Amino acid sequence: MKRFFRVFKTLLLVYYAYMVEYRAELILWVLSGSLPIILMGVWIQAAQQSNFGLSPTDFARYFLSVFLVRQLTVVWVIWEFEREVVEGKLSLRLLQPLDPAWHHMFSHVSERFARIPFAILLIVLFFLLYPTAIWVPSVGTVLLFVVSIVLAFSLNFLIQYTLALCAFWTERASSLQEFWFLLYLFLSGVIAPLEVFPPVVKTLALFTPFPYLVNFPASLLVGLPTNPAQGFLVMAGWIVGFLALNRWLWRQGLKQYSGMGA
């Protein structure tokens, strides 16, 4: 356990130092996730002219929460892992007494700490422009939101890392992510809250992992109708399922890996 925490601390500090080297790049990445802010303006105008069951203020708070959720759960491991396999750099990782997945995990976690200050500045700017949207969640709500974010990030990371393992069999594993992203965009709640979806579409979406990556944490934070216990159980189920698939693909992929490009 002592060794685990020492490794944990070392990897976290190393990757954090690496991330803060490129602050300008981080700002661009934060801004690239501002799609929810753009969509917020569209839905606010639509809510003023039609009845969607949510007020313009509800839409403003929801899409701000979506922006925050995406900043905290974004992953890119599939492109890094694909490059390591194609270029043979994974061979160096395999020589270390540590699963390569931990390097990617701590890289993502460290990037969160480097990214958050810029995201907070944008949120403050948002409240200056939309003071009527200001709200203060309760302590219980914040705790539930934090738990949902941890689970959402873990699930999102596992899904993309599992897709990344296909790089053992194809040089374009990232193309799978492009297809996955289309489904994610429409079913996760990034485009619109699930509350405005037709009942049939909403029901079908809840059987997939997508709504729990964005809509569920965002709804918890703003107080939209949701079932926390059910949501956490579903997320845990998907995490266990993808973890099992991930470990199986990893073992099969290592048999396939030949260090191409090394």
Side-chain angles (χ1 to χ4, degrees):
M1 186 61 68
K2 205 168 169 185
R3 177 180 175 275
F4 172 80
F5 282 110
R6 187 170 66 251
V7 172
F8 178 96
K9 179 182 176 182
T10 301
L11 289 176
L12 196 62
L13 292 176
V14 167
Y15 281 112
Y16 178 78
Y18 174 75
M19 290 298 171
V20 296
E21 276 188 82
Y22 305 99
R23 293 184 179 89
E25 183 180 353
L26 274 176
I27 294 175
L28 294 177
W29 279 114
V30 171
L31 292 176
S32 69
S34 59
L35 175 63
I37 304 300
I38 299 172
L39 291 172
M40 176 194 67
V42 176
W43 280 102
I44 287 178
Q45 290 296 321
Q48 291 173 348
Q49 301 174 8
S50 304
N51 182 19
F52 293 98
L54 297 175
S55 67
T57 300
D58 290 331
F59 277 111
R61 292 173 178 175
Y62 173 80
F63 280 106
L64 176 64
S65 299
V66 169
F67 169 77
L68 179 60
V69 169
R70 293 194 70 207
Q71 294 298 320
L72 295 173
T73 61
V74 63
V75 294
W76 59 88
V77 63
I78 191 167
W79 290 279
E80 289 188 345
F81 189 83
E82 179 185 75
R83 185 174 64 252
E84 288 182 355
V85 173
V86 172
E87 297 179 1
K89 295 180 180 179
L90 182 62
S91 302
L92 298 176
R93 299 283 196 198
L94 295 176
L95 294 175
Q96 301 175 4
L98 186 69
D99 193 304
W102 288 109
H103 286 279
H104 297 296
M105 173 65 77
F106 282 107
S107 172
H108 283 66
V109 173
S110 300
E111 196 265 356
R112 295 303 98 102
F113 290 104
R115 175 191 291 253
I116 285 176
F118 302 112
I120 290 176
L121 288 176
L122 286 179
I123 292 173
V124 171
L125 178 61
F126 169 85
F127 283 136
L128 291 176
L129 295 175
Y130 295 93
T132 57
I134 296 176
W135 85 103
V136 181
S138 66
V139 176
T141 298
V142 173
L143 291 176
L144 288 175
F145 176 72
V146 171
V147 174
S148 68
I149 284 296
V150 172
L151 291 176
F153 168 72
S154 301
L155 178 56
N156 201 19
F157 181 86
L158 265 175
I159 290 172
Q160 194 176 112
Y161 189 47
T162 301
L163 294 176
L165 294 179
C166 293
F168 286 123
W169 294 274
T170 174
E171 295 183 1
R172 292 293 298 167
S174 56
S175 60
L176 296 174
Q177 171 63 19
E178 294 172 5
F179 174 72
W180 178 269
F181 183 72
L182 289 176
L183 297 176
Y184 165 86
L185 200 61
F186 288 101
L187 298 178
S188 66
V190 173
I191 298 295
L194 257 63
E195 282 70 22
V196 304
F197 281 26
V200 176
V201 177
K202 180 179 178 181
T203 301
L204 291 175
L206 291 174
F207 283 100
T208 71
F210 301 107
Y212 305 98
L213 300 176
V214 176
N215 186 84
F216 177 69
S219 297
L220 278 177
L221 185 60
V222 300
L224 294 179
T226 187
N227 187 330
Q230 178 182 332
F232 291 146
L233 285 175
V234 173
M235 294 171 81
W238 279 110
I239 288 173
V240 171
F242 272 102
L243 181 59
L245 177 61
N246 181 283
R247 293 298 83 190
W248 181 79
L249 286 175
W250 172 254
R251 290 190 295 270
Q252 298 302 314
L254 287 181
K255 298 176 184 178
Q256 178 77 16
Y257 179 63
S258 59
M260 181 174 60

